Amino acid sequence: MSDGNSNGTTPMFEIENLHAEIDGKEILKGVDLTVNQGEIHALMGPNGSGKSTLAYVVAGDPRYEVTEGSIRFQGEDILEWSPDERARKGLFLAFQYPTVIPGVSMANFLRLAVTNVRTARAEEIAAEGGSAQPFTPREFRRLMREKMALLKMDDAFATRYLNEGFSGGEKKRAEILQMALLEPKMAVLDETDSGLDIDALKVVSEGVNNLSGPKVGMLLITHYQRLLNFIKPDFVHIMHDGRIVESGGPELAHELEAKGYEGLRARTAEAAAS
Amino acid sequence: MVAKPQIDIGEYQYGFRDEEDYVFKSGRGLTRATVEEISAMKGEPDWMRDFRLKALDHFEKRPMPNWGADLSGIDFDDIFYYIRPAEKQGKTWDEVPEYIKNTFEKLGIPEAERKFLAGVGAQYESEVIYHSLREDLEKQGVIFLDMDAGVREHPELVKQYFGTIIPYNDNKFAALNSAVWSGGSFIYVPPGVSIDVPLQAYFRINAENMGQFERTLIIVDKDAYVHYVEGCTAPTYTTNSLHSAVVEIIVQEGGRCRYTTIQNWSKNVYNLVTKRAAAYKNATMEWVDGNLGSKVTMKYPAVWLMEEGARGEILSVAFASDGQHQDAGGKVVHVAPNTSSQIISKSISKGTGRSSYRGLVKVYKGAENVRSNVVCDALLLDETSKTDTYPYIEVEEERASIGHEATVSKVAEEQIFYLMSRGLSEDEAMSMIVNGFIEPIAKELPLEYAVELNRLIQLEMEGSVG
């Protein structure tokens, strides 16, 4: 483990000049982004700008090849890590389109996932006075039920097969439930708001807000400003054509809402020309 | 990094063997004298000896099947057809020879018996060396014996049904079994008796080049119920062993029988088994058939629906790993009107493994209002594994509703990625997907067996990827 953290200057999560391609087509063309502990960042941008690709690359999706740049988490380069190593270190991606795994119950799947992640963090948990002893099925059920209640999910969810027959809203809640149980340090939420009606959006946002805190970094990927009425970001970034083209505070999202991507781009171009 | 727990990677954990210390071992190869010797040693009535000899004739004349799996590795002259491991059968485990008892301890049988079984039979080589039945069931008239004891103690009942469901000339391997059969279970459940927990038989081959030919006959009388479970393992040898069983089942009016198999032979065993049940008025027969082990399996549990209202169900799960060919499936024959059936087959192939679904749905003329549904799903774990499907449907009656669905799928990379992104290793992700695939069948198993099946699949998946 790098001791780069100890002086407090190493950011928790840092992407530098990241280039990535799929099937030979370059999607990310030099992304720079830094998220510190306790910060919530929103990443906005039009369809096809590379937002979801960035999410997948952070999680280690093997379909993408990183051709240049780096991603560092707590000072360590994670690009060589497999997706499960990343998860065990505390990274999490809430998928925009979670995959169906027939025959695998939420409870069985999550118990193994939580056991793995907690086992990997045993030292940390011990340092905080806890125990990484795996939960018994009964204990785990109780914990799961607690978290499901917070997300207003029915108990029956625990025995349903992973994402099978889930409505759009149920899928999103299930992703946040996973996040709640895995307690990541850095979470990327890919369009967690899409397809949600206003009530569901409130519940999911509340869930996310409960999980944020001084120790957690978050990157919210969203197409619409709507989500940011419920979750207040510290920073907003605009992505276009594989790069982050503009960064600012929450006001940037409002400006985007007013002018649209086109308007914003025109203004940026003007500024660049003058 | 936390190290992964050390598990014997992909190793067959039941491959150990005992030193041979037998009361009797026949010579290699099969002759009339061998058959006569087996019959004489068992002190059988003439009708049974004659049955064996007729069967031997038929076996010798009958050509090898020209369909199904490759059986060219079987050398009938190299096999030991009869081995008697002990003088007598134990009624308690203490009466069983120490080394054999130890073997069954390792296989977890005595413990399982104490925990959740109504009766146990344990066969080692050719003979059932231990047998027990819960006392209250015995008092209710339930019979659970090894087949040899059945012939001795209930000759009339046995004679009435033996060889009626599967005649000695049914196929080459049924003929072989009929000639040299030894051991297996004989079960009779009297009218109205419902046995709440399973009866179990466990079959163990120990000697090299062994041929095991157990014979099972189950009679479920009116409105009675039994769940019979069998398991099987063998040591791993470089030469081939042969397991060729015959199982005949009769389910009388309103009765129900469930027969569950978890076959986990070592990968040098040819497993060629004939299983068939006849279900009478409003009776139900269910086969739950799990094939994980063996080099080659050819097995198609069958139900003949003889009278109105009878129902047949076959759940088959096969796992073909490197070098294995699982040719499995099921057969349903609708003889009577208003009968229904379902076949669900799930197969998984890995490496050089091949699984084939072979099934038959037949509806006789006059069997009106038949409903039958067949679903077979195959899962391929990699580019080299293979699967094929041979669904035969023969319908002579117009008013029949027959459904058939078949799918072949591969494990999607995005499924693996999704699970890994939650902290599961690639192996764990793979075995979770596979276990999910067979969940519809696993949930039909008694819990202990479902857990065992999950674990076996996990072992098979270790080191399978990456």
Side-chain angles (χ1 to χ4, degrees):
Chain A
M1 181 94 169
S2 154
D3 61 359
N5 275 348
S6 53
N7 57 18
T9 57
T10 305
M12 184 175 68
F13 183 76
E14 196 177 15
I15 298 174
E16 246 177 29
N17 189 33
L18 189 69
H19 292 250
E21 56 180 53
I22 185 167
D23 301 329
K25 185 171 183 264
E26 184 167 63
I27 309 285
L28 300 183
K29 303 172 179 173
V31 176
D32 293 287
L33 179 70
T34 299
V35 179
N36 289 300
Q37 263 191 348
E39 291 177 356
I40 298 179
H41 291 240
L43 180 64
M44 306 180 74
N47 284 332
S49 58
K51 304 187 301 290
S52 286
T53 295
L54 181 66
Y56 286 130
V57 170
V58 167
D61 189 333
R63 290 178 303 169
Y64 295 92
E65 192 188 343
V66 174
T67 51
E68 213 184 321
S70 68
I71 305 177
R72 280 190 300 279
F73 178 53
Q74 297 179 319
E76 291 183 273
D77 188 337
I78 69 165
L79 285 178
E80 292 303 311
W81 296 356
S82 58
D84 54 322
E85 275 177 282
R86 298 181 195 202
R88 289 171 205 213
K89 293 277 190 174
L91 278 169
F92 181 86
L93 167 61
F95 282 65
Q96 186 182 0
Y97 304 109
T99 312
V100 175
I101 316 278
V104 173
S105 76
M106 288 284 287
N108 281 348
F109 155 64
L110 278 172
R111 193 157 76 90
L112 180 57
V114 168
T115 302
N116 283 356
V117 168
R118 286 170 52 87
T119 306
R121 287 198 221 148
E123 274 180 37
E124 240 170 80
I125 293 173
E128 288 163 7
S131 159
Q133 195 66 29
F135 295 111
T136 64
R138 185 186 293 258
E139 287 169 342
F140 187 72
R141 267 297 172 74
R142 194 180 312 134
L143 179 70
M144 201 170 158
R145 218 170 278 146
E146 241 169 60
K147 305 282 185 193
M148 288 197 302
L150 290 176
L151 289 161
K152 301 199 165 48
M153 294 168 85
D154 194 85
D155 268 5
F157 239 84
T159 51
R160 284 177 69 183
Y161 297 149
L162 192 47
N163 296 319
E164 192 171 69
F166 285 20
S167 69
E170 286 174 334
K171 281 183 187 171
K172 298 298 162 95
R173 281 181 212 207
E175 291 293 294
I176 301 307
L177 172 68
Q178 296 182 33
M179 177 172 158
L181 286 163
L182 292 169
E183 302 183 324
K185 295 174 187 159
M186 173 69 208
V188 180
L189 281 66
D190 189 8
E191 308 240 356
T192 296
D193 53 330
S194 70
L196 294 185
D197 62 32
I198 193 73
D199 293 328
L201 183 62
K202 273 185 188 164
V203 171
V204 167
S205 306
E206 240 177 74
V208 173
N209 283 327
N210 284 333
L211 297 171
S212 65
K215 291 196 162 177
V216 181
M218 278 193 195
L219 180 62
L220 308 177
I221 295 174
T222 178
H223 197 73
Y224 302 103
Q225 201 270 336
R226 187 176 76 139
L227 176 69
L228 306 181
N229 295 332
F230 298 95
I231 307 172
K232 297 289 174 208
D234 302 296
F235 301 93
V236 174
H237 310 273
I238 311 289
M239 196 162 185
H240 178 71
D241 192 23
R243 282 185 203 88
I244 288 174
V245 291
E246 191 161 354
S247 297
E251 73 287 348
L252 187 56
H254 295 291
E255 198 185 336
L256 179 66
E257 174 111 306
K259 295 184 182 164
Y261 288 114
E262 282 307 319
L264 210 59
R265 210 174 302 156
R267 189 210 42 170
T268 312
E270 236 168 67
S274 67
Chain B
M1 272 291 299
V2 171
K4 260 175 82 168
Q6 290 295 310
I7 302 169
D8 287 346
I9 289 183
E11 198 162 305
Y12 179 71
Q13 70 173 139
Y14 305 112
F16 62 88
R17 72 177 86 173
D18 301 330
E19 286 302 316
E20 292 186 17
D21 181 16
Y22 298 142
V23 176
F24 176 81
K25 184 173 182 177
S26 70
R28 288 179 198 264
L30 181 57
T31 62
R32 193 179 166 90
T34 320
V35 172
E36 281 171 342
E37 193 170 21
I38 293 171
S39 185
M41 286 184 76
K42 292 177 181 296
E44 283 176 351
D46 290 348
W47 73 267
M48 184 57 83
R49 195 197 55 210
D50 294 346
F51 176 84
R52 288 180 183 275
L53 291 171
K54 267 193 299 189
L56 177 67
D57 275 350
H58 187 79
F59 168 71
E60 285 170 345
K61 284 186 210 132
R62 185 99 178 215
M64 288 290 271
N66 57 3
W67 51 274
D70 176 11
L71 301 180
S72 60
I74 301 175
D75 181 354
F76 290 111
D77 296 328
D78 205 32
I79 290 168
F80 295 100
Y81 286 84
Y82 180 70
I83 294 176
R84 168 172 283 191
E87 272 314 338
K88 67 179 194 68
Q89 191 176 92
K91 290 264 173 244
T92 68
W93 282 103
D94 286 338
E95 292 166 26
V96 174
E98 191 69 18
Y99 73 98
I100 298 180
K101 189 176 96 181
N102 288 342
T103 286
F104 282 104
E105 291 277 0
K106 277 191 228 171
L107 299 170
I109 310 305
E111 198 196 341
E113 177 184 0
R114 286 192 296 273
K115 270 164 67 183
F116 69 97
L117 296 168
V120 163
Q123 177 158 350
Y124 189 89
E125 312 292 30
S126 304
E127 295 289 348
V128 176
I129 50 85
Y130 170 80
H131 223 283
S132 77
L133 176 65
R134 230 172 54 194
E135 224 172 272
D136 59 308
L137 294 171
E138 213 169 318
K139 281 189 187 136
Q140 289 177 70
V142 173
I143 301 169
F144 180 39
L145 293 168
D146 68 278
M147 193 66 236
D148 298 274
V151 173
R152 283 195 307 273
E153 295 173 29
H154 302 277
E156 291 312 310
L157 199 52
V158 171
K159 202 173 170 184
Q160 187 185 344
Y161 291 106
F162 193 96
T164 59
I165 307 296
I166 302 172
Y168 69 87
N169 58 359
D170 188 80
N171 64 72
K172 187 167 178 82
F173 290 92
L176 176 62
N177 174 284
S178 299
V180 296
W181 74 266
S182 183
S185 302
F186 173 64
I187 296 172
Y188 172 75
V189 190
V193 174
S194 177
I195 305 180
D196 53 346
V197 288
L199 300 176
Q200 183 188 266
Y202 200 92
F203 298 92
R204 175 76 179 172
I205 290 178
N206 180 60
E208 199 166 359
N209 293 112
M210 175 62 192
Q212 192 176 58
F213 306 98
E214 89 269 9
R215 180 102 194 181
T216 288
L217 174 62
I218 300 175
I219 302 152
V220 180
D221 216 323
K222 284 184 183 174
D223 302 317
Y225 169 69
V226 67
H227 183 185
Y228 176 82
V229 184
E230 62 173 2
C232 28
T233 59
T236 307
Y237 292 113
T238 51
T239 57
N240 299 318
S241 296
L242 174 61
H243 172 255
S244 199
V246 164
V247 176
E248 300 178 282
I249 297 177
I250 296 99
V251 193
Q252 303 287 17
E253 184 176 339
R256 178 175 161 220
C257 177
R258 171 171 280 213
Y259 190 114
T260 297
T261 304
I262 299 292
Q263 175 269 104
N264 189 23
W265 294 114
S266 52
K267 288 177 188 174
N268 57 308
V269 174
Y270 282 88
N271 183 46
L272 310 167
V273 172
T274 310
K275 289 182 164 166
R276 195 174 302 157
Y280 292 89
K281 192 171 177 188
N282 297 327
T284 301
M285 176 67 212
E286 299 156 336
W287 296 103
V288 182
D289 199 39
N291 293 298
L292 291 150
S294 82
K295 175 179 185 167
V296 166
T297 285
M298 285 174 71
K299 178 164 35 129
Y300 325 97
V303 188
W304 285 60
L305 302 161
M306 307 300 292
E307 292 178 353
E308 287 206 43
R311 175 163 178 80
E313 195 164 313
I314 299 161
L315 305 176
S316 170
V317 56
F319 192 115
S321 177
D322 280 334
Q324 292 182 287
H325 186 181
Q326 306 282 13
D327 198 292
K331 298 182 193 177
V332 182
V333 181
H334 293 262
V335 181
N338 299 312
T339 50
S340 62
S341 65
Q342 168 154 281
I343 300 176
I344 298 175
S345 158
K346 297 253 179 189
S347 74
I348 301 134
S349 311
K350 177 191 151 194
T352 59
R354 174 180 172 194
S355 41
S356 310
Y357 167 78
R358 194 178 298 275
L360 170 72
V361 175
K362 187 176 168 86
V363 179
Y364 274 100
K365 185 89 193 144
E368 291 179 343
N369 298 320
V370 159
R371 278 171 297 120
S372 176
N373 192 37
V374 178
V375 180
C376 48
D377 298 326
L379 183 67
L380 297 172
L381 298 190
D382 46 45
E383 296 301 320
T384 51
S385 51
K386 283 195 280 196
T387 183
D388 30 38
T389 312
Y390 308 93
Y392 299 94
I393 298 176
E394 298 169 17
V395 181
E396 296 170 2
E397 180 56 54
E398 269 169 39
R399 286 205 283 160
S401 147
I402 312 287
H404 178 89
E405 264 175 71
T407 65
V408 177
S409 54
K410 291 188 175 179
V411 174
E413 221 174 84
E414 57 171 318
Q415 291 180 317
I416 298 278
F417 170 60
Y418 183 70
L419 295 178
M420 286 180 79
S421 79
R422 301 306 186 236
L424 273 64
S425 71
E426 197 169 358
D427 282 355
E428 286 171 335
M430 198 68 142
S431 55
M432 189 158 267
I433 291 166
V434 170
N435 277 318
F437 174 74
I438 60 160
E439 165 68 12
I441 291 176
K443 73 176 184 210
E444 294 296 323
L445 296 173
L447 181 65
E448 288 75 6
Y449 291 87
V451 169
E452 173 73 357
L453 185 66
N454 268 280
R455 204 183 56 78
L456 289 173
I457 283 175
Q458 222 152 323
L459 275 176
E460 284 287 351
M461 301 313 300
E462 289 283 334
S464 68
V465 282

